[in-house]
Amino acid sequence: MNYWVDKTVLIISPEAWGLNFVSKHHYALELVKKGSKVYFLNPPVFNQRNKITLEEIKRNLYSLYYRPELRGINRIPLTFRNWFNGKTAALIQETIKKPIDIIWSFDPYRFQDLRNFEALFRIYHPVDIHHTNLEKICVKSADIVISTSNQILKRFFRMDTPLFQINHGLADYFINPRTLKKSFIRNPKKINVGLVGNLHYRYIDCEILTFIIRNNSEVDFYFIGPTGKSNLTTSLINEQLINFLDSMSNVFLLGSKPSENLPAYLKELDLFLICYTGDKNVAEMANPHKILEYLSTGKPIVSHYVDEYKNKSDLIQMAHDNKDLAQVFSETVENIHTFNTAESTLKRISFAKKHTYEKKLRKIEELLNQSSRKMS
């Protein structure tokens, strides 16, 4: 029997629903495929007229927008915060009009005490490092805590809530990608490198990335993702980088693409580069979501240090220190044929296929069942 059929799930996400998908969006879609009714709670909107707005995204998937009772709510004592959060939670539950089976929060800055909602199970799921003590309230009020990285989980080792490391997932449409009707590649004879993600992400190593692009004029670089405000960010912190990229003849900014179309774009590229400050921010960059999507193509990947893949040199060409990243990139480009063997390609694809969202939900179902047995 499918555990997820007829479940009502409320996902609390720090990123709004939009064109660009990260793990929260993918989990929502996979839950709907499994038969759940999913309500995706977006970050607060302070200027909307109604306290709660409900929009249907597709059958059994709804986007929820809300106006909080109070600005700066996290600066007031927990007792009063819970009172205000409880009022908003009651309005949300009234809007949903069904008992909530599972609260699934990715956001420590809102509704920290998950008991504000009446739900059968409470999941806290940090996929980033959050520098706030508010997170401990989320952990304490959850039935289980899931994270993609042990670097994140080890911060909660002294707490009583059960902790589980579960890697990122891979959406089904990455496994059998369709082909674009017309290729976007400008110079097919060159090596074409792809970088996917929000260009205003605070952990981009702008200095190293600029150096690599300047010193590899024989390589073309394609950026897929938002260059301005998007559902992933409203802070435009890397405008200098974007101006530089826009000025380079070997750089092409493709903008955001619908998630289901992304595999077709990745299929066109020869190599992928991940250039964040992974050497300085080890915990924050311990397991970027995009790695599985890159691996699903079978193509080589050059990356900064990624803790969760530190023993997988057969999958990723990794620089342990970012000052060496440009050299690792150049060596990979020069010897790309050695990284494109049938064996290496198959190994990357096989690894990615082991981590579909369907498999992740199966594991989470098992953990919830264990939690249920312990409570009974």
Side-chain angles (χ1 to χ4, degrees):
M1 181 180 174
N2 182 358
Y3 174 88
W4 301 99
V5 168
D6 294 331
K7 291 288 191 297
T8 299
V9 183
L10 177 66
I11 290 178
I12 304 175
S13 172
E15 291 92 13
W17 194 270
L19 187 62
N20 306 282
F21 285 4
V22 285
S23 54
K24 303 90 178 174
H25 308 81
H26 286 298
Y27 270 113
L29 290 169
E30 190 64 34
L31 284 164
V32 170
K33 280 172 59 179
K34 291 294 182 185
S36 296
K37 185 170 281 190
V38 178
Y39 294 86
F40 193 92
L41 187 63
N42 296 286
V45 182
F46 289 97
N47 60 355
Q48 74 173 21
R49 178 178 297 180
N50 298 324
K51 285 193 173 181
I52 305 286
T53 303
L54 181 67
E55 295 179 2
E56 185 176 22
I57 299 170
K58 59 185 288 186
R59 191 170 189 269
N60 288 331
L61 177 58
Y62 302 88
S63 185
L64 274 168
Y65 296 89
Y66 73 103
R67 189 182 76 233
E69 292 284 332
L70 186 70
R71 284 181 180 267
I73 193 169
N74 289 330
R75 290 195 286 269
I76 67 175
L78 179 61
T79 302
F80 297 107
R81 192 189 322 150
N82 274 341
W83 186 81
F84 283 111
N85 281 336
K87 284 185 68 177
T88 305
L91 279 172
I92 290 169
Q93 291 193 265
E94 187 180 315
T95 303
I96 291 174
K97 295 178 181 175
K98 288 186 70 177
I100 298 172
D101 295 298
I102 297 167
I103 294 289
W104 194 329
S105 177
F106 294 83
D107 190 350
Y109 296 99
R110 295 182 294 146
F111 303 103
Q112 292 88 12
D113 192 334
L114 300 177
R115 292 168 297 190
N116 279 309
F117 295 92
E118 296 176 7
L120 189 62
F121 289 111
R122 299 179 296 271
I123 302 171
Y124 178 54
H125 193 159
V127 293
D128 301 294
I129 290 286
H130 300 288
H131 299 284
T132 173
N133 285 327
L134 296 170
E135 198 167 30
K136 292 180 180 178
I137 305 169
C138 303
V139 174
K140 189 175 180 180
S141 65
D143 294 307
I144 60 171
V145 175
I146 299 166
S147 185
T148 54
S149 162
N150 280 312
Q151 287 284 338
I152 295 173
L153 288 176
K154 71 181 183 181
R155 299 161 71 239
F156 314 127
F157 280 174
R158 293 184 179 180
M159 300 185 71
D160 293 333
T161 309
L163 310 174
F164 303 97
Q165 196 268 341
I166 295 181
N167 197 5
H168 281 295
L170 182 73
D172 287 345
Y173 43 73
F174 282 93
I175 294 174
N176 294 299
R178 54 178 178 256
T179 302
L180 292 175
K181 290 180 181 177
K182 183 179 179 182
S183 176
F184 61 87
I185 298 296
R186 303 289 184 90
N187 303 296
K189 293 184 179 179
K190 282 189 172 185
I191 291 177
N192 295 285
V193 177
L195 301 93
V196 177
N198 170 27
L199 277 168
H200 289 288
Y201 190 43
R202 60 178 170 162
Y203 292 114
I204 293 177
D205 193 329
C206 298
E207 183 181 349
I208 297 296
L209 182 57
T210 299
F211 181 87
I212 289 173
I213 291 170
R214 282 192 192 280
N215 289 275
N216 289 275
S217 57
E218 77 288 355
V219 173
D220 280 352
F221 296 84
Y222 291 84
F223 288 80
I224 301 172
T227 58
K229 291 183 179 181
S230 71
N231 65 305
L232 299 184
T233 187
T234 56
S235 301
L236 306 183
I237 60 173
N238 290 330
E239 288 187 304
Q240 186 176 347
L241 171 66
I242 291 169
N243 289 336
F244 162 74
L245 296 175
D246 217 17
S247 71
M248 297 299 290
S249 60
N250 64 331
V251 172
F252 304 94
L253 302 176
L254 303 184
S256 297
K257 301 298 175 187
S259 184
E260 64 270 19
N261 294 343
L262 186 56
Y265 281 85
L266 298 188
K267 189 177 180 181
E268 300 273 311
L269 297 160
D270 304 309
L271 173 68
F272 298 101
L273 172 63
I274 307 176
C275 190
Y276 299 139
T277 53
D279 55 346
K280 299 181 184 69
N281 299 287
V282 174
E284 287 85 349
M285 295 290 97
N287 192 2
H289 178 256
K290 60 177 63 67
I291 288 181
L292 281 176
E293 296 175 351
Y294 291 165
L295 287 170
S296 73
T297 68
K299 309 288 180 63
I301 302 167
V302 174
S303 176
H304 56 77
Y305 177 72
V306 180
D307 193 67
E308 290 295 326
Y309 287 83
K310 62 188 174 186
N311 298 319
K312 295 181 173 60
S313 58
D314 54 337
L315 299 178
I316 302 175
Q317 309 315 302
M318 193 184 297
H320 285 255
D321 192 309
N322 273 28
K323 66 180 173 55
D324 300 323
L325 188 56
Q327 183 180 345
V328 174
F329 179 81
S330 296
E331 289 173 355
T332 305
V333 167
E334 289 169 11
N335 301 285
I336 196 164
H337 61 282
T338 66
F339 299 102
N340 271 331
T341 64
E343 182 183 1
S344 296
T345 300
L346 183 60
K347 190 173 288 186
R348 296 183 193 108
I349 294 171
S350 297
F351 181 87
K353 283 183 175 180
K354 292 175 183 175
H355 294 277
T356 62
Y357 277 102
E358 181 184 20
K359 289 183 172 70
K360 302 304 164 187
L361 280 186
R362 214 178 297 157
K363 178 62 177 175
I364 293 166
E365 170 189 341
E366 182 183 315
L367 298 178
L368 292 176
N369 281 327
Q370 287 175 7
S371 177
S372 176
R373 285 194 293 271
K374 285 177 182 177
M375 289 189 296
S376 60

